[in-house]
Amino acid sequence: MKSSASFLARLRPRLPTLGLLALYAAISVGTTWPLVLHPDDLLITRHFDGFSTLWLMDVAPDLDWALRSDRAAWPDGQVLRRADSQLLVAVAWALRPLLGPVVLFNLFVLLGPIFSAWAAEHFARVVLGATRPWSVLAGLAFAFSGLSATSVLEGHAYFLLMPWLPLLATAGWRATRPGGRVADGLLAGAMWFCCLLTSGYVGILGVIVVVALGLTALPHLRAQLRPVLAAAAVAVPLGLLYTVGFVTGADPGARFHTDAPVLGMAADAGLGATASQLQAGSSGLLQLIGVRLADDVARHGIAPVLSLTMLVLAGLAGQVLPKKGPWRLFSVIGTAGLLLSLGPVIETIEGPMSGLPWLEKWVMGAPGSPGTGGPPWPGYPNLPWLLFPLAYVPGDVFFHFPYRFAWLTVLGLGGVAAAVATQLARDLGRRRFLAHGLLLAGLVDATLRPMLPQRSAQVPIGVPSAYGATVGWPGGLLELWPRPAGGATDADLLMNNLTCTYQRVHHLPLVSDCIGTGLDRSPRVRLSRVVFARVVEQRPEGLQAELAALGVGAVAVHPLLFSPEDRGRLVGLLDGALGPPVAQSEDAGDPVWIYRVQGTEADRSVARLAWDRLEGG
């Protein structure tokens, strides 16, 4: 009895935190339902990156010291030092021997928001003075916004596990204020490196937070020099190590190069390749306040809906909170993130401005009609914005997805909103129960407005049984499906990444690249063109010897993706060159025919010579 009473006494102070975690867990499970019931055979993502993330988690334990995988881009292998998330690689490297890749992926989806919400709530309490239960608003705004929904739909599961950014803000604040300790600086440096490992984007967001904290600490920086130097001692060498790895991580397996296409949506607005990539990944004004289901197709699910409760409460901060305090700094950080997330142009409309002809006239302009009162960019339907100068940067830019700046918004304004709710509850005194309506509003914002249950898919993750026949075969596997003449499309990328996930059954090296969107550089695309050229010419002789010399031991055809005429011609060529398929299946939603290439050269170094000749030709 005594030990039981002692346990309860130790547990009682932790009950509020446990209750908070239970609330966040219930939201995570509810908004992703029924994922928790099928963690090992279901994904709820809608787009192709989910499959490449799944493949990356599967191969992580097999990477060599240079982060190269021999399981893709046969025969050279694919260097993964520029993979989106090295943190995901590290977690998968540690846990993949214990758990399957699908389970690991879904643990990020289910558990990541819980940890992220707790960290944001902790930040609101420690830095901004919010108290429970009002601090829960910060966790809801940060971990359950439209940004998280977009990460689920895109398959970027690593963005859901992001406690590092709020913890960086917390430790950085402590380290740069009077009384800061060396331990605070060390923790801040470590948390920034975790941000960087999560994604280069999050690392940039962390730099913005650190710079803002440093600038506001300048008057008393000398007194805080030791914590600041401690942070730098961790962050600088680790950041340089990451940067060197990234810069030297260009993939030598990417043999074939073409120029990046201009994305259609932005190209229609007259933007070049660099600006078009930026704008395609930017927030639109409409997407910040609500979801349209069409955005999941037209905008790749980019609808970073923000909590209206957060925006309203943060807007009241100047009237409710003291004139001085950390809320001002984090209001600026949050607002800056919001403005930057809009990208190179503000998307004012996506169609006529019904009912506002005077505004439509000014925004749309009148091409060829000087003096109409239109803007200096006649016919241009959007307003140039903060990142517009990047349209003139030659070559490519790293930050293709400006909407991710809005993570600063849900961090900064979410914390400020929690502080405002706390103060309002205090001001209400005995009527503070009225402020509980704010918690309900924040809960509605988190569970209903991103519309994740309505937008997510239920994708069973199976592998066509025909691939089982290839286990133990020498050489690489070439996947064949038709490809649009204009280059890579979403469907093309989806098939590429989906077939990469089949490798968890057959284990053959793939001719395909499995990470990245530049499929024109993939050896699979180059070799498939060789095969398709033979189909057009109906020239099967020599194909078997050519594939064998290139080290290709198996060819997988996805017949239903070809037109009946093209399918017949392709099958006729392969049957004539390789013999009939050795395995066929129609399960897992993807009919597949498997051909075996006899006499395959399994030595990578010898196969590379044949690929060099193919590249030269």
Side-chain angles (χ1 to χ4, degrees):
M1 292 290 293
K2 188 174 182 179
S3 61
S4 176
S6 174
F7 171 76
L8 291 176
R10 292 195 302 269
L11 180 63
R12 191 172 293 112
R14 296 178 173 84
L15 287 177
T17 298
L18 293 175
L20 196 66
L21 293 175
L23 171 65
Y24 292 146
I27 296 173
S28 180
V29 169
T31 54
T32 58
W33 189 266
L35 186 62
V36 71
L37 302 179
H38 307 277
D40 60 343
D41 61 0
L42 186 71
L43 295 183
I44 61 172
T45 144
R46 292 183 64 98
H47 298 289
F48 51 78
D49 278 347
F51 299 115
S52 59
T53 302
L54 191 64
W55 176 83
L56 181 60
M57 300 181 90
D58 187 39
V59 304
D62 301 325
L63 300 180
D64 64 17
W65 64 270
L67 296 184
R68 178 198 301 274
S69 173
D70 284 334
R71 292 171 59 179
W74 169 273
D76 297 296
Q78 188 170 12
V79 176
L80 301 177
R81 292 203 294 274
R82 293 188 178 185
D84 285 350
S85 177
Q86 299 302 336
L87 182 75
L88 181 136
V89 172
V91 171
W93 178 85
L95 298 180
R96 176 64 185 90
L98 304 175
L99 300 170
V102 180
V103 174
L104 276 176
F105 184 97
N106 287 330
L107 286 178
F108 271 80
V109 174
L110 290 167
L111 300 182
I114 301 172
F115 292 111
S116 298
W118 168 82
E121 189 265 350
H122 176 75
F123 157 74
R125 287 189 293 111
V126 172
V127 176
L128 294 163
T131 61
R132 290 172 175 166
W134 321 111
S135 57
V136 72
L137 291 171
L140 294 175
F142 182 76
F144 298 101
S145 70
L147 290 163
S148 295
T150 294
S151 299
V152 171
L153 298 174
E154 286 271 50
H156 301 152
Y158 40 89
F159 276 103
L160 300 170
L161 181 64
M162 209 189 344
W164 332 113
L165 189 60
L167 293 177
L168 167 63
T170 304
W173 173 263
R174 284 173 160 171
T176 55
R177 305 301 131 174
R181 303 168 301 166
V182 169
D184 296 322
L186 294 174
L187 181 59
M191 289 301 98
W192 176 77
F193 187 58
C194 287
C195 287
L196 184 62
L197 290 180
T198 298
S199 170
Y201 292 100
V202 186
I204 292 174
L205 302 183
V207 169
I208 293 174
V209 170
V210 168
V211 169
L213 289 171
L215 290 176
T216 57
L218 284 177
H220 48 82
L221 189 60
R222 179 173 297 180
Q224 298 305 114
L225 196 56
R226 291 181 64 194
V228 171
L229 290 177
V234 174
V236 171
L238 291 177
L240 287 175
L241 180 65
Y242 178 93
T243 302
V244 170
F246 185 88
V247 170
T248 60
D251 191 353
R255 293 171 169 270
F256 311 102
H257 300 271
T258 60
D259 293 331
V262 176
L263 303 181
M265 168 174 79
D268 291 342
L271 297 177
T274 297
S276 78
Q277 292 171 332
L278 285 167
Q279 191 56 30
S282 299
S283 302
L285 292 178
L286 295 177
Q287 286 72 34
L288 290 171
I289 59 176
V291 172
R292 301 179 311 162
L293 297 183
D295 291 333
D296 292 333
V297 177
R299 301 182 61 90
H300 259 249
I302 297 177
V305 181
L306 301 178
S307 166
L308 292 179
T309 306
M310 175 192 75
L311 294 175
V312 170
L313 288 175
L316 295 173
Q319 286 71 45
V320 175
L321 298 178
K323 297 300 181 184
K324 294 183 178 181
W327 69 268
R328 287 187 174 274
L329 170 63
F330 287 99
S331 291
V332 171
I333 291 175
T335 303
L338 178 62
L339 297 178
L340 289 170
S341 76
L342 297 174
V345 297
I346 297 179
E347 293 182 24
T348 54
I349 60 170
E350 294 187 18
M353 290 184 173
S354 177
L356 298 173
W358 60 272
L359 185 57
E360 180 178 356
K361 177 182 178 182
W362 193 88
V363 174
M364 293 295 292
S369 304
T372 60
W377 49 94
Y380 192 72
N382 303 300
L383 304 176
W385 196 238
L386 299 181
L387 300 183
F388 192 78
L390 294 180
Y392 301 100
V393 173
D396 200 4
V397 294
F398 166 73
F399 215 102
H400 289 172
F401 298 98
Y403 83 90
R404 290 172 178 164
F405 280 115
W407 282 106
L408 294 175
T409 304
V410 293
L411 171 67
L413 298 190
V416 171
V420 170
T422 298
Q423 187 60 48
L424 287 175
R426 289 173 182 157
D427 293 344
L428 287 170
R430 294 182 177 180
R431 295 178 297 171
R432 64 184 303 173
F433 66 90
L434 296 174
H436 283 81
L438 297 175
L439 298 178
L440 179 60
L443 193 61
V444 169
D445 278 335
T447 57
L448 299 182
R449 293 191 58 248
M451 297 179 64
L452 181 57
Q454 295 91 329
R455 300 165 64 197
S456 58
Q458 294 186 25
V459 184
I461 296 300
V463 178
S465 56
Y467 284 97
T470 69
V471 175
W473 289 6
L477 171 65
L478 171 65
E479 300 275 3
L480 287 180
W481 62 83
R483 191 157 189 262
T489 66
D490 283 6
D492 198 21
L493 288 163
L494 187 146
M495 278 302 300
N496 184 83
N497 296 350
L498 176 62
T499 53
C500 286
T501 69
Y502 295 162
Q503 192 183 54
R504 68 187 191 274
V505 167
H506 62 71
H507 301 296
L508 292 183
L510 294 165
V511 180
S512 310
D513 283 345
C514 290
I515 295 292
T517 58
L519 292 189
D520 284 337
R521 298 174 300 187
S522 168
R524 182 195 65 80
V525 172
R526 177 67 176 90
L527 187 52
S528 67
R529 287 174 179 161
V530 171
V531 174
F532 293 152
R534 285 177 170 270
V535 171
V536 173
E537 300 166 4
Q538 281 299 295
R539 187 166 50 90
E541 56 277 358
L543 176 60
Q544 184 273 336
E546 183 174 15
L547 292 176
L550 293 168
V552 175
V555 177
V557 177
H558 301 264
L560 288 190
L561 299 180
F562 292 89
S563 68
E565 179 183 1
D566 288 342
R567 180 167 62 244
R569 298 166 69 187
L570 175 63
V571 170
L573 176 90
L574 294 178
D575 284 355
L578 307 177
V582 299
Q584 300 182 50
S585 64
E586 296 185 358
D587 53 353
D590 184 12
V592 174
W593 299 345
I594 301 292
Y595 290 84
R596 181 163 189 174
V597 180
Q598 299 294 336
T600 296
E601 175 55 66
D603 188 318
R604 289 176 181 267
S605 60
V606 176
R608 285 190 187 103
L609 298 177
W611 279 94
D612 290 340
R613 290 192 294 271
L614 178 66
E615 182 180 5

